[in-house]
Amino acid sequence: MNVLIIVLAVIIVVLILWQWRHQRLLSLRARLMREALRNRDFTFRLPADRLFPGERDLQLALNDMGGEINRLLARSEVESWQRLTRVLTHEIMNSVAPIQSITQAYIASPLVKDTPLEEGMRAIYDTSLGLSTFVDSYRKLTQLQPADVKPLDLPHFIYTMSALYPDIKWHVDLNNVATVSTDQGMLRQVATNIIKNAIEAGARSIDLRIADDEGIYHNADNGKSVTRLLISNDGQRIAPEVAREIFIPFFTTKKTGQGIGLSLARQMMIACGGNLWLAETPVAGFHTTFIVEI
């Protein structure tokens, strides 16, 4: 009888200790998620293993919610920049058009032609024409065509991309993912922009891989799974102060850059029902990792 009491006591103590440890782990998860929310990092993905079924479902739902919030914030940011760009381009074009028209008329006037005034008028006209061309190039930020989302053979797509850059060493691990649903043309432009930027930053190696199971979640908008493609490179690291700005339209660190590449790339992925952002922590062995949600 005493032995039975002792065994039961030991079992109870073990259960209490296990429950205490389990609750500590749940509290740790809660603190990590609060910290992520405080830092406006909605890409958190906490593991759901070693949890009870109900706790596992709750954790997966929280992971999915973080992904949805991140995507909605990106969409809202893109729409805000689109509205601002639309207003700016409209106002600039309204101001430049009369200047072009008036200076063109003066250039053709006999009173100005072959006089010292002609050179000045032509300089004003050429400058306004260049500004019109410059502004017109940014209209693509607000005139993006609707995405044509279709099933895409991802391994073949990656093969054709790698063939365009034979001097780069490629590491590809698609984790048995054969097909994704996206706009092939848009995804190609997004991948090309990321890879081109990497090469310009001195990259000699590109890594493409599918995030593990924790990187695939359920999209509440269309009821489909969203796959995360990680595109990494070993080029020059992106400084933290630059990383915060790279998706802002017109921001660039290049002397000849226009600053619309990554901003447009994010708009394309959002149009396809996905997203694009820079990972805070790159894939091991690489300096920069972009996360493309497809």
Side-chain angles (χ1 to χ4, degrees):
M1 186 68 177
N2 291 336
V3 174
L4 179 60
I5 294 175
I6 293 174
V7 170
L8 289 174
V10 170
I11 293 174
I12 292 173
V13 169
V14 169
L15 289 175
I16 291 174
L17 290 175
W18 179 86
Q19 182 65 15
W20 175 82
R21 181 174 179 275
H22 185 70
Q23 294 301 316
R24 288 288 302 272
L25 290 175
L26 292 179
S27 297
L28 176 60
R29 287 172 179 269
R31 288 198 298 272
L32 290 173
M33 284 189 286
R34 288 195 188 98
E35 185 66 23
L37 294 175
R38 189 177 299 114
N39 295 326
R40 296 182 63 82
D41 177 15
F42 301 105
T43 62
F44 61 82
R45 310 290 296 174
L46 295 180
D49 54 341
R50 292 189 298 178
L51 296 176
F52 290 116
E55 295 171 342
R56 184 183 304 112
D57 291 341
L58 178 60
Q59 183 62 68
L60 291 175
L62 290 171
N63 289 345
D64 291 354
M65 183 177 67
E68 288 298 312
I69 292 174
N70 185 56
R71 192 168 58 85
L72 290 173
L73 284 175
R75 180 186 295 173
S76 177
E77 180 182 331
V78 164
E79 290 174 351
S80 297
W81 282 115
Q82 284 179 329
R83 287 193 294 269
L84 177 60
T85 303
R86 190 180 299 114
V87 171
L88 289 176
T89 54
H90 178 74
E91 293 301 323
I92 292 173
M93 292 301 290
N94 281 349
S95 300
V96 170
I99 296 175
Q100 288 182 247
S101 178
I102 293 171
T103 52
Q104 191 174 27
Y106 272 114
I107 291 172
S109 172
L111 298 176
V112 174
K113 196 169 182 63
D114 298 326
T115 70
L117 291 175
E118 181 181 3
E119 183 177 351
M121 288 295 177
R122 193 170 296 280
I124 295 174
Y125 175 78
D126 290 343
T127 301
S128 62
L129 183 63
L131 181 58
S132 296
T133 302
F134 174 79
V135 172
D136 190 60
S137 68
Y138 287 103
R139 284 184 170 173
K140 65 180 67 176
L141 289 172
T142 61
Q143 297 177 344
L144 192 65
Q145 295 297 316
D148 182 17
V149 178
K150 296 180 179 178
L152 173 67
D153 184 335
L154 189 58
H156 179 72
F157 174 83
I158 298 299
Y159 173 78
T160 59
M161 289 297 304
S162 62
L164 296 175
Y165 304 95
D167 296 332
I168 295 295
K169 186 176 180 181
W170 291 78
H171 306 266
V172 180
D173 181 9
L174 299 182
N175 195 24
N176 298 321
V177 175
T179 305
V180 294
S181 294
T182 189
D183 184 306
Q184 179 174 340
M186 288 186 176
L187 182 60
R188 186 177 299 279
Q189 290 189 55
V190 171
T192 298
N193 183 275
I194 294 174
I195 295 169
K196 182 173 177 291
N197 286 345
I199 293 174
E200 292 176 352
R204 293 292 178 268
S205 181
I206 299 290
D207 179 273
L208 291 99
R209 66 180 67 185
I210 298 295
D212 58 19
D213 291 341
E214 294 298 327
I216 300 177
Y217 70 94
H218 189 73
N219 186 335
D221 283 353
N222 54 29
K224 296 181 180 179
S225 295
V226 176
T227 302
R228 288 179 173 173
L229 174 65
L230 310 183
I231 305 180
S232 308
N233 70 81
D234 60 353
Q236 184 178 355
R237 298 179 186 273
I238 299 177
E241 61 272 15
V242 174
R244 292 190 291 268
E245 313 290 341
I246 58 175
F247 290 107
I248 295 179
F250 320 133
F251 175 83
T252 181
T253 58
K254 303 175 185 177
K255 293 181 179 180
T256 59
Q258 294 183 327
I260 62 174
L262 287 175
S263 175
L264 185 60
R266 170 176 275 184
Q267 289 190 41
M268 289 181 176
M269 292 314 305
I270 290 176
C272 294
N275 199 358
L276 168 67
W277 70 91
L278 179 68
E280 290 191 6
T281 304
V283 169
F286 296 88
H287 298 158
T288 304
T289 297
F290 283 91
I291 302 176
V292 182
E293 281 190 347
I294 306 174

